[in-house]
Amino acid sequence: MFPSKKPTMNSHERPMCVQGDSGLVLTTDPKPRLRWTVELHDRFVDAVTQLGGPDKATPKTIMRVMGVQGLTLYHLKSHLQKFRLGKQPHKEINDHSIKDASALDMQRNAASSSGIMGRTMNENVHITEALSMQMEVQRRIQEQLEVQKHLQMRIEAQRKYMQTILEKACQTLAGEGMASVSYKGHGNQGVIHVGAMKDMGSPMSFPSLQDLHLYGGDDQLDMQQHMDRPLDGFFQANEGVCLGKKRFNPYSSNGKSPLICADDLRLQELGSAAACMGAQEEPSKNDQLQIASSVIGGGIDMDSITDVYETKPVLSTDGTGEKKHEGSPKLERPSPRRAPLPVERINPMIRGGTLPQTRNISYG
Amino acid sequence: MEEAGDLEISGVGSNSTINDDGGCAWTDWSPVIDWGPLSADDDFRGLVEAMMCDDNDDVAHAGVTRMAYDPYWNSNPSSTTTSTGTPPAEEPSSSDGGGGGNDDKGLRLVHLLVAAAEALAGPYKSRELARVILVRLKELVSPAGGAAGCGGGTSMERLAAYFTNALQGLLDGSSATACSRQSASHLDGQVGDVLAAFQLLQDMSPYEKFGHFTANQAILEAVARYRRVHIVDYDIAEGVQWASLMQALVSRKDGPPPPHLRITAVTQRGSGTRAVQETGRRLAAFAASLGQPFSFGQCRLEADERFRPAGVKVVKGETVVLNCVLQPPHAAGAATTRGAGSVASFLSGAATLGARVVAVVEEEGVAEDGNFVGRFMGELHRYSAVWDSLEAGFPMQGRARGLVERLILGPRIAGAVRRAYRATGEGGWGEWMARMGFGRVGISCFNHCQARLLLGLFSDGYQVEEDGPNKLVLGWKSRRLTSASIWSPPPPAPASVPPANIGVSSSMEDSDFLLD
């Protein structure tokens, strides 16, 4: 409308125009009306922009800035009002890149047909435009939700597949006896000695895994015991879990103490760990998003995995144990009861525990 | 030079520290070469000299403005893993301990690395100088204080350690080869660890998923109406990419049942065939679990690593898609990098095979400089960004990151430095394909939106941007890292032409591009 279209009056209504001394074009009919030529309008827009936008500018200031002789407050007042009305929906339409042809048509119609610039007409147009904009926004939200849904499913599929890989590797290594790893019992500071891992052929003196400690200590509990804890949600999807030699640390309530240690020389399926990495994430409320962890045998430092997967127990999808499902509706959950969506799984990686939902919705 | 000789003995191939007399033998040591011609810039010379002096020297040489590195280097949270609870500060000034600011130290490390690279392959090569610098570097990144390498030290130190390693590998030449082979065999036994670390990396960063999902979505759109789909995959690795594609195929809402999916994996002769077969089995099992009709086959590259389209069985009525993911391997035992000629031959086969679409995922920001130092710095930038992205996303999970660094990124860095050393400079494949007449297939709104959403799951610093209508680029804080682009094959040409800018001259064979 105003900003882009030439605000003309239907010339056939006023065949005669004179240009005054001030450069303004006035019509010659009985009631001289100011003709807002393109140049004049451009100056107007410049002045308004200079003053900080149509909402901030006032006719008086505009007059001062424009410095055009013969321009009265009255002219400016009405023009400014039209400009304001015209600018609003147009701007928003641009922002959303709406290519709604009908809306544009309406704009054009509105601009050209209003010789009088009737306000009522504008209002009707605005309402229609506003509505169509609304619909557009709605449509975009729908689209985005759609994409989000698909994305979640795809992430989930990829995760499941990774599990199968890790399972296989796990089984293979278990079969081979894992000679490279020795496990030093359930001591307080279990140290994994992984000779093979010690030096990856590099002359650098990186500390070997010997220096990295397992989470040792007091909270060693039997795996079975903890199956009933929030963990079980953790494992519910993973039937083929094989316990690893190393301790793994499913998330615990205080976030620090590891829970379980392996009882014998079977490997832990890391896939389950990774899968549950965000599984039980607290929807949005906790500052520290913690995730459970487990470890694949030989050479993996417990601590490292634990660090990644430190988590507070959150969703216990099976409903047993601690259930901190805060019930905040997660928009995109097809079924919150299932293994929690992988989207959330990854969310905790966002530092600071920002709202996963917000992230999911926000558009880039 | 006697002292140089001493240093050499003590420095070569080991991590022993120099037997300094009271702190710094450097002050007594006169450089092997005159610094003058090395750098016309007095600043640089002074800086390197200063850096190579004792640690106690004034660190305020941070007045070096000559090298302006990206801000995130300076803002590397210099937290050690011993820091508890408090998230690392953004500002370099709040670096903990370390005196003098770890920021400065980071710069020094960078400068030393670049100096070493220059010494190795710059205009004034000197292996001695390189050796000496590397020894110094090792000192710095493995300080006597004990914070060293993985699990300790700052991010910058760890990163520098891997690069130092890589450079050392170049210096040692064939012995490094032996080392890497040894480590590779070790790694074979710990394939599970590497896979676990890889899973960690995938969970902590969107790099791999971005490429896969973008390519998959484009493929989905291209084959929307077809009943038989045949994907020829240049580097199938573990086949992770196809899991989500299969899922998407079976969950196509509108109408047709999932098409029959056939995947042909391009393999090298000899090693790795068994792994590929295993991958095929795994994919078949996964497909079965989804109810996706599936079959799998292999296509071997020729002896010269070139791809012959005739080697691919094409069934009438199927739509062919070429998939080319050129990311560095994550497992040392997996498909090693193949030469540029090999990739070119593969891409050129698209026309012959009548492919509907070609999806290419490659690393971005590949320095096109003609010289090693430029490429080396490019890799330094790249992995700094990756380091930074991991740290930003998981500041507290230092050990996990350390694991990923050690098992995945470290080897990648070594490989990248090696390639940078040997390659004559390759541009991105995008330009080549455009030159060869490939058409650009636009990235759909859905695809773009999906990429944004994916990144939204991770840290704020990741950005995706369009680079032309057919390419999405993923970056970390304005550092482009990886890209996915979609192409349509050119009209069939009489012969496939290797890219002109890749100097595959007679003196340099494709095997030069391979890992040892």
Side-chain angles (χ1 to χ4, degrees):
Chain A
M1 268 214 265
F2 271 99
S4 61
K5 304 288 179 195
K6 192 165 154 184
T8 60
M9 307 197 172
N10 287 339
S11 49
H12 66 268
E13 289 179 29
R14 297 166 186 29
M16 295 276 291
C17 294
V18 297
Q19 187 154 8
D21 296 331
S22 57
L24 291 177
V25 179
L26 295 166
T27 56
T28 56
D29 62 353
K31 198 162 155 204
R33 301 177 63 134
L34 173 63
R35 183 167 177 172
W36 280 92
T37 61
V38 177
E39 298 85 47
L40 194 60
H41 183 69
D42 282 347
R43 283 179 76 164
F44 173 81
V45 174
D46 285 349
V48 167
T49 323
Q50 215 173 314
L51 293 164
D55 295 326
K56 290 221 183 87
T58 67
K60 215 190 261 186
T61 55
I62 296 176
M63 187 167 79
R64 204 167 346 120
V65 170
M66 280 179 77
V68 174
Q69 290 278 33
L71 209 50
T72 67
L73 277 178
Y74 177 81
H75 290 138
L76 288 170
K77 230 196 296 184
S78 68
H79 197 73
L80 179 63
Q81 187 167 25
K82 290 166 195 165
F83 184 76
R84 279 181 184 156
L85 286 174
K87 199 146 177 26
Q88 269 313 92
H90 188 82
K91 183 163 67 170
E92 283 165 31
I93 288 172
N94 279 341
D95 284 348
H96 291 278
S97 317
I98 292 179
K99 304 204 175 43
D100 191 336
S102 60
L104 289 176
D105 282 341
M106 275 191 275
Q107 284 181 36
R108 252 173 270 143
N109 288 340
S112 63
S113 68
S114 58
I116 313 172
M117 303 283 190
R119 271 178 224 130
T120 21
M121 182 142 208
N122 281 348
E123 279 165 4
N124 288 340
V125 163
H126 295 322
I127 290 171
T128 324
E129 284 171 350
L131 278 176
S132 67
M133 236 178 42
Q134 191 106 7
M135 280 170 15
E136 180 64 31
V137 168
Q138 197 82 12
R139 193 157 50 102
R140 291 192 161 253
I141 292 181
Q142 294 287 55
E143 273 174 17
Q144 196 160 351
L145 283 177
E146 188 74 13
V147 176
Q148 195 161 4
K149 196 168 58 165
H150 285 288
L151 178 63
Q152 285 173 315
M153 292 194 290
R154 291 168 193 185
I155 292 177
E156 174 69 19
Q158 192 243 28
R159 181 195 64 78
K160 279 205 206 120
Y161 184 77
M162 278 300 295
Q163 267 187 38
T164 68
I165 301 181
L166 294 165
E167 256 174 21
K168 282 284 175 58
C170 169
Q171 284 159 11
T172 313
L173 286 175
E176 289 171 7
M178 299 187 310
S180 60
V181 177
S182 65
Y183 179 60
K184 292 218 163 111
H186 293 230
N188 283 340
Q189 290 292 332
V191 172
I192 289 294
H193 166 70
V194 184
M197 281 295 282
K198 185 164 128 190
D199 195 339
M200 311 259 294
S202 89
M204 301 294 304
S205 61
F206 293 143
S208 70
L209 279 171
Q210 290 162 332
D211 302 336
L212 301 173
H213 300 298
L214 287 182
Y215 259 126
D218 29 4
D219 291 307
Q220 300 176 28
L221 296 167
D222 190 15
M223 169 80 168
Q224 301 314 314
Q225 268 181 341
H226 286 271
M227 282 304 273
D228 298 333
R229 286 183 99 255
L231 272 210
D232 55 358
F234 179 93
F235 286 106
Q236 51 104 18
N238 308 298
E239 287 69 35
V241 166
C242 42
L243 295 178
K245 276 185 182 173
K246 317 221 359 222
R247 296 185 210 138
F248 76 101
N249 299 303
Y251 57 103
S252 58
S253 40
N254 56 14
K256 278 302 179 186
S257 54
L259 294 178
I260 298 177
C261 61
D263 46 2
D264 55 17
L265 306 188
R266 285 169 294 161
L267 284 175
Q268 175 68 44
E269 175 186 5
L270 181 71
S272 59
C276 302
M277 195 158 85
Q280 275 69 23
E281 146 209 347
E282 180 84 4
S284 54
K285 307 293 191 323
N286 297 339
D287 288 339
Q288 274 190 343
L289 295 176
Q290 297 174 317
I291 313 158
S293 76
S294 67
V295 160
I296 276 208
I300 295 287
D301 173 33
M302 286 310 318
D303 254 359
S304 61
I305 311 284
T306 308
D307 283 342
V308 175
Y309 298 128
E310 286 175 348
T311 168
K312 284 197 192 143
V314 184
L315 297 176
S316 171
T317 57
D318 274 356
T320 60
E322 293 180 54
K323 185 165 184 163
K324 285 199 184 164
H325 185 46
E326 299 240 341
S328 48
K330 302 170 184 76
L331 282 172
E332 59 279 20
R333 312 273 155 235
S335 55
R337 287 297 159 134
R338 271 195 314 120
L341 298 174
V343 163
E344 292 229 297
R345 221 159 267 157
I346 309 174
N347 276 339
M349 301 320 152
I350 300 169
R351 185 174 20 163
T354 48
L355 265 186
Q357 281 95 334
T358 312
R359 282 200 174 274
N360 288 340
I361 296 293
S362 69
Y363 198 94
Chain B
M1 310 253 342
E2 190 173 319
E3 280 160 345
D6 286 339
L7 292 167
E8 176 179 342
I9 289 170
S10 63
V12 159
S14 74
N15 57 0
S16 60
T17 56
I18 301 173
N19 272 339
D20 286 343
D21 34 354
C24 182
W26 300 96
T27 48
D28 298 327
W29 177 68
S30 51
V32 174
I33 57 175
D34 182 12
W35 279 106
L38 188 70
S39 159
D41 196 338
D42 275 341
D43 278 353
F44 179 54
R45 178 177 80 198
L47 181 75
V48 176
E49 279 178 330
M51 286 195 296
M52 288 166 66
C53 270
D54 194 69
D55 252 2
N56 298 335
D57 270 4
D58 184 16
V59 181
H61 281 272
V64 174
T65 50
R66 180 180 176 272
M67 302 208 181
Y69 292 105
D70 289 351
Y72 60 72
W73 264 347
N74 293 337
S75 65
N76 246 346
S78 44
S79 57
T80 66
T81 52
T82 55
S83 68
T84 53
T86 53
E90 295 293 321
E91 303 305 314
S93 56
S94 55
S95 59
D96 60 345
N102 289 320
D103 185 25
D104 291 333
K105 182 165 188 194
L107 265 182
R108 291 167 62 183
L109 289 172
V110 165
H111 293 153
L112 276 177
L113 283 169
V114 174
E118 284 204 5
L120 270 176
Y124 304 95
K125 286 169 71 152
S126 162
R127 291 171 74 84
E128 288 313 312
L129 179 61
R131 208 180 293 277
V132 151
I133 299 178
L134 286 176
V135 168
R136 181 61 177 158
L137 270 168
K138 280 178 225 167
E139 254 187 3
L140 283 175
V141 298
S142 308
C150 55
T154 68
S155 278
M156 196 58 219
E157 280 171 16
R158 291 197 308 275
L159 178 66
Y162 288 109
F163 272 94
T164 305
N165 229 21
L167 287 174
Q168 185 70 51
L170 286 184
L171 194 62
D172 294 343
S174 58
S175 58
T177 308
C179 264
S180 66
R181 274 203 225 252
Q182 184 191 30
S183 65
S185 65
H186 279 295
L187 284 177
D188 281 342
Q190 290 135 21
V191 120
D193 299 341
V194 175
L195 282 175
F198 181 57
Q199 171 75 334
L200 269 181
L201 177 63
Q202 284 203 315
D203 286 331
M204 292 198 284
S205 69
Y207 298 121
E208 177 120 347
K209 284 200 192 65
F210 166 77
H212 289 175
F213 286 179
T214 307
N216 284 349
Q217 178 60 28
I219 294 174
L220 270 172
E221 289 160 8
V223 303
R225 278 176 305 283
Y226 295 88
R227 292 215 320 274
R228 298 189 70 88
V229 180
H230 182 186
I231 299 181
V232 186
D233 192 353
Y234 184 67
D235 182 5
I236 197 156
E238 274 84 29
V240 182
Q241 174 174 1
W242 307 119
S244 54
L245 180 72
M246 285 191 222
Q247 190 281 330
L249 284 174
V250 300
S251 57
R252 283 199 310 196
K253 272 186 296 199
D254 34 0
H260 181 98
L261 177 66
R262 188 147 79 89
I263 295 183
T264 298
V266 174
T267 57
Q268 277 170 261
R269 295 197 165 269
S271 68
T273 306
R274 217 183 46 174
V276 174
Q277 280 171 354
E278 179 60 31
T279 296
R281 273 194 288 273
R282 214 181 294 125
L283 283 171
F286 190 78
S289 75
L290 286 177
Q292 163 72 46
F294 178 78
S295 52
F296 184 82
Q298 289 189 42
C299 165
R300 287 212 174 72
L301 291 174
E302 299 297 311
D304 59 356
E305 297 276 314
R306 287 190 196 270
F307 171 76
R308 302 270 183 262
V312 177
K313 287 192 286 284
V314 178
V315 167
K316 208 167 162 65
E318 67 184 10
T319 315
V320 177
V321 169
L322 257 58
N323 187 71
C324 191
V325 173
L326 298 168
Q327 283 175 349
H330 60 267
T336 53
T337 53
R338 301 170 187 153
S342 177
V343 178
S345 64
F346 177 73
L347 293 173
S348 305
T352 321
L353 288 172
R356 181 140 174 83
V357 86
V358 180
V360 176
V361 177
E362 58 180 337
E363 282 189 324
E364 275 295 302
V366 176
E368 300 189 32
D369 304 39
N371 65 344
F372 166 64
V373 177
R375 288 194 295 275
F376 178 80
M377 285 181 59
E379 296 301 325
L380 198 54
H381 273 94
R382 175 200 309 285
Y383 284 97
S384 299
V386 175
W387 235 252
D388 193 43
S389 69
L390 289 180
E391 179 149 16
F394 300 88
M396 305 309 301
Q397 287 77 21
R399 307 251 177 145
R401 281 182 287 119
L403 210 76
V404 170
E405 289 163 10
R406 187 172 54 247
L407 294 182
I408 310 280
L409 299 180
R412 277 194 195 179
I413 289 174
V417 169
R418 256 198 298 272
R419 276 195 302 280
Y421 190 65
R422 290 174 186 162
T424 52
E426 324 165 352
W429 283 100
E431 287 104 53
W432 179 79
M433 291 173 85
R435 264 205 308 279
M436 299 298 287
F438 282 77
R440 296 172 200 264
V441 176
I443 302 268
S444 72
C445 195
F446 187 105
N447 212 343
H448 198 160
C449 184
Q450 175 179 262
R452 281 193 205 274
L453 286 175
L454 175 68
L455 295 193
L457 298 174
F458 294 88
S459 167
D460 261 344
Y462 293 105
Q463 293 148 6
V464 63
E465 61 181 20
E466 279 193 11
D467 183 9
N470 69 332
K471 183 164 165 180
L472 285 183
V473 179
L474 167 67
W476 170 260
K477 289 191 178 158
S478 80
R479 164 74 46 182
R480 293 157 64 108
L481 290 176
T482 181
S483 74
S485 53
I486 317 295
W487 308 83
S488 59
S496 56
V497 182
N501 67 333
I502 298 179
V504 183
S505 61
S506 56
S507 63
M508 186 180 302
E509 296 298 328
D510 278 350
S511 55
D512 284 348
F513 295 109
L514 301 176
L515 283 178
D516 302 325

